[in-house]
Amino acid sequence: MLYVPEERLVERLTQRRVCPQCGAIYNAHLRPPQVEECCDADGTELVHRADDWESAVRHRIDVFQRETASVIAHYNETGALSVINADRKPAEIASDIRWLLEDRMAA
């Protein structure tokens, strides 16, 4: 399971912007456009989708937690759950996933 603290998820998702013309995705902190609120590819004004507003993001997280709690508990109780800190650089996360898969395949 990839884990990111809830507040970090909210921060990341509420900063997402999308180009309605070409579909390019930006993040105000992690991958900002070269010109604020404008698509690098075509100059179109970026939009903040309603499902990326804070209230919607928090609702999605709440639903996810409620709907997956029993599944997570089950795999945790059986010892089959592995948790990877996903609040890091993608290369670090990928390295941990590779190590985990190789370890599981060797067992």
Side-chain angles (χ1 to χ4, degrees):
M1 177 175 85
L2 299 178
Y3 172 77
V4 178
E6 183 174 335
E7 289 307 311
R8 185 75 163 136
L9 284 174
V10 171
E11 176 187 343
R12 285 182 182 179
L13 293 171
T14 58
Q15 296 300 316
R16 184 166 52 181
R17 302 295 186 270
V18 179
C19 175
Q21 188 68 32
C22 72
I25 299 172
Y26 298 90
N27 182 288
H29 294 297
L30 302 174
R31 187 178 175 266
Q34 294 175 356
V35 176
E36 189 173 337
E37 297 298 326
C38 290
C39 179
D40 294 343
D42 57 33
T44 301
E45 184 177 350
L46 301 177
V47 296
H48 189 201
R49 299 179 340 192
D51 62 332
D52 289 338
W53 294 348
E54 185 173 346
S55 59
V57 168
R58 289 192 184 279
H59 176 72
R60 289 195 331 251
I61 292 170
D62 181 56
V63 168
F64 174 82
Q65 289 173 339
R66 280 188 281 120
E67 291 185 359
T68 61
S70 63
V71 175
I72 292 169
H74 169 76
Y75 285 102
N76 190 41
E77 290 167 7
T78 64
L81 181 69
S82 296
V83 179
I84 294 175
N85 175 9
D87 192 17
R88 301 175 294 148
K89 294 179 181 178
E92 295 171 351
I93 299 165
S95 176
D96 282 359
I97 292 170
R98 261 190 307 282
W99 178 87
L100 181 65
L101 291 173
E102 289 169 1
D103 184 59
R104 297 276 171 126
M105 296 292 285

